[in-house]
C-alpha cells in the first residue's frame, strides 16, 4: 500500500519553537524527551495539515510562540497522492487585539481557500491521551470523534457541521421571541433540515464503511479487539432507507411541531447535533464503557487503525498517523503488536514518548529524534 509521507517539517513561531526544521527519511518517526519538552507541539503542527483546529482543538492565536509577534507558520514537504508538494499554513501578526485572525493556507506557495485542499495530497489521523476517556465521556465527545473520522473521508464535512450548528443557533434565537416570525422560522428550518440530512448521511456512510473495515480486522487473537459500532438516532436509521428529501420533510415537520417545546428548553431537542456513537467490545459483547481501562485503550487503537486502513483503501494512500504517548500505556506484547500493525498498514507514523526504551523494537528502522525545549536533534 502506498503511503503519504512527510519528508520535511518546518516551524516558525509555533508553540515552544521559535524555529525548527526536521528532515525525515523513515516510515516510523519517534519523538523522545521529557514531559513538557515540546513533543506534542511538533505533531500538533502536523495536525494543522487537516481541516479544523488541530489535535488540541486550539484557537489560531493559542499556538503562537509566546515571545513572538503573534504570527506563526508551519510548512511540510510531502510525498502524497499528487506527488511532491509543499503544504503550508499559519497566521499573520494581528494588527491589534480586535483584528480578526484568519488562517492562510498554501500549496507550493500558491494560496488555496482552506486546509480542505490539503486532503488532495494527504490525510492525517491522530490518537491522543485526551481520547482515553472517550467511551466513558459525554455523547458530544464521541460525536466530535465521529466527525473527525468522517472529516478524514470528506474534507468538507466539518463545514457542513459548522453550518448546521449556526442554523440551529439562529433558530434558537428566533424562538426566544414570544412571537417569532413564522416565515423566518420556516426559512431557517428549511435550511437546517437540508444540512442535518447531509451531515447525517455522510456519518452513516462512513460508519457503514468502518463497520466493514472492523469486520475484516476481527481476530480473537488480536491485541486490539474489534469494536462493533452504530449510530444512535432516528434520522440515522431513516437516511439509509428513504430518499433524502423525505427525511428532510420529516425533520422540518418535527422542528415545526416542537417549536413551543424547544423554546421552553432554550435549545433544539431533536436532531443530528445530539447523535451518539455506540461502541461495543465485539469479542465480549459488552459496552466499551464497561471494559477495563486497558481494553478501552486497545479498542480505541483498533478503531483508529481500522479507520486508517479504510482511508488507505478508499484513497489508495495510507494516511499520516500521529500517535501521542500511545505506547507508554501498552504492555510489551501490545507494543510489539502495534508496531506490527503499523508495518502492515505501511503508513508513516509519528510517535511520542518520554521513555526511549519503549521504542527499542523499532529503533533501528525509525527516525529517532530527541526533543528538548525549543530544540530537536537526531539521536545518534
Amino acid at each position: 500500500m502506498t503511503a503519504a509521507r512527510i519528508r520535511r517539517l518546518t516551524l516558525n513561531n509555533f508553540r515552544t519553537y521559535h524555529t525548527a526544521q526536521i528532515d525525515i527519511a523513515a516510515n516510523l518517526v519517534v519523538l523522545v524527551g521529557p514531559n513538557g519538552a515540546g513533543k506534542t507541539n511538533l505533531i500538533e503542527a502536523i495536525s494543522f495539515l487537516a481541516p479544523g483546529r488541530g489535535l488540541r482543538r486550539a484557537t489560531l492565536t493559542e499556538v503562537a510562540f509566546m515571545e513572538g509577534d503573534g504570527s506563526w507558520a508551519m510548512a511540510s514537504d510531502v510525498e502524497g497522492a499528487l506527488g511532491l508538494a509543499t503544504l503550508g499554513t499559519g497566521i499573520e501578526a494581528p494588527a491589534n487585539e480586535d483584528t480578526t485572525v484568519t488562517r492562510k493556507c498554501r500549496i507550493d506557495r500558491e494560496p488555496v481557500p482552506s486546509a480542505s485542499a490539503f486532503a488532495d495530497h494527504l490525510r492525517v489521523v491522530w490518537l491522543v491521551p485526551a481520547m482515553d476517556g472517550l467511551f466513558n465521556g459525554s455523547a458530544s465527545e464521541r460525536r466530535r470523534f465521529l466527525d473527525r473520522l468522517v472529516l478524514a473521508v470528506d474534507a468538507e464535512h466539518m463545514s457542513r457541521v459548522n453550518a448546521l450548528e449556526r442554523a440551529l443557533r439562529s433558530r434558537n434565537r428566533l424562538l426566544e421571541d414570544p412571537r417569532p416570525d413564522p416565515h423566518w422560522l420556516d426559512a431557517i428550518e428549511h435550511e437546517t433540515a437540508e444540512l442535518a440530512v447531509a451531515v447525517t448521511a455522510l456519518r452513516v456512510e462512513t460508519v457503514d464503511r468502518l463497520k466493514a473495515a472492523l469486520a475484516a480486522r476481527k481476530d480473537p487473537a488480536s491485541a486490539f479487539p474489534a469494536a462493533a459500532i452504530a449510530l444512535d438516532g432516528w434520522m440515522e436509521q431513516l437516511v439509509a432507507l428513504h430518499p433524502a428529501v423525505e427525511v428532510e420533510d420529516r425533520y422540518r415537520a418535527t422542528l415545526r411541531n416542537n417549536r413551543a417545546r424547544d423554546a421552553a428548553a432554550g435549545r433544539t431537542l431533536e436532531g443530528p447535533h445530539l447523535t451518539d456513537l455506540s461502541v461495543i467490545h465485539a469479542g465480549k459483547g459488552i459496552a466499551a464503557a464497561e471494559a477495563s481501562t486497558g481494553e478501552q485503550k486497545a479498542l480505541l487503537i483498533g478503531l483508529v487503525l481500522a479507520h486508517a486502513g479504510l482511508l488507505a483503501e478508499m484513497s489508495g494512500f495510507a494516511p499520516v498517523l500521529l500517535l501521542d504517548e500511545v505506547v507508554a500505556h501498552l504492555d510489551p506484547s501490545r507494543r510489539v503488536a502495534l508496531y506490527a500493525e503499523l508495518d502492515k498498514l505501511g503508513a508513516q507514523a509519528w510517535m511520542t514518548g518520554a521513555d526511549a526504551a519503549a521504542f527499542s523494537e523499532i529503533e533501528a528502522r525509525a527516525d529517532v529524534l530527541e526533543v528538548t525545549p525549543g530544540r530537536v536533534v537526531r539521536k545518534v
Side-chain angles (χ1 to χ4, degrees), residues 222-239:
S222 173
F224 304 108
I229 59 174
L231 293 177
D232 180 18
W234 64 263
M235 192 178 294
E236 287 75 11
Q237 309 307 313
L238 288 183
V239 293

Side-chain angles (χ1 to χ4, degrees), residues 308-322:
L310 172 62
L311 292 176
E313 180 182 336
M314 292 179 65
S315 67
F317 269 76
V320 172
L321 288 174
L322 309 177

Side-chain angles (χ1 to χ4, degrees), residues 20-101:
Q21 182 171 291
I22 306 171
D23 291 303
I24 299 297
N27 260 13
L28 299 178
V29 185
V30 175
L31 305 172
V32 295
N35 293 332
K39 304 182 298 294
T40 303
N41 295 343
L42 290 169
I43 62 170
E44 181 185 22
I46 297 172
S47 73
F48 277 98
L49 294 177
R53 293 166 52 183
L55 57 78
R56 282 190 175 117
R57 303 188 68 248
T59 64
L60 293 174
T61 54
E62 283 176 338
V63 301
F65 185 58
M66 186 175 295
E67 299 175 13
D69 60 4
S71 67
W72 63 266
M74 68 80 61
S76 178
D77 294 341
V78 305
E79 289 180 17
L82 300 180
L84 296 172
T86 300
L87 313 181
T89 188
I91 64 172
E92 295 177 347
N96 53 60
E97 292 183 358
D98 298 324
T99 300
T100 300
V101 176

Side-chain angles (χ1 to χ4, degrees), residues 106-127:
R106 296 178 183 273
I107 298 177
D108 291 332
R109 299 182 180 178
E110 294 294 325
V112 293
S114 72
S116 297
F118 296 158
D120 292 336
H121 297 265
L122 84 170
R123 308 294 171 103
V124 185
V125 174
W126 56 77
L127 181 57

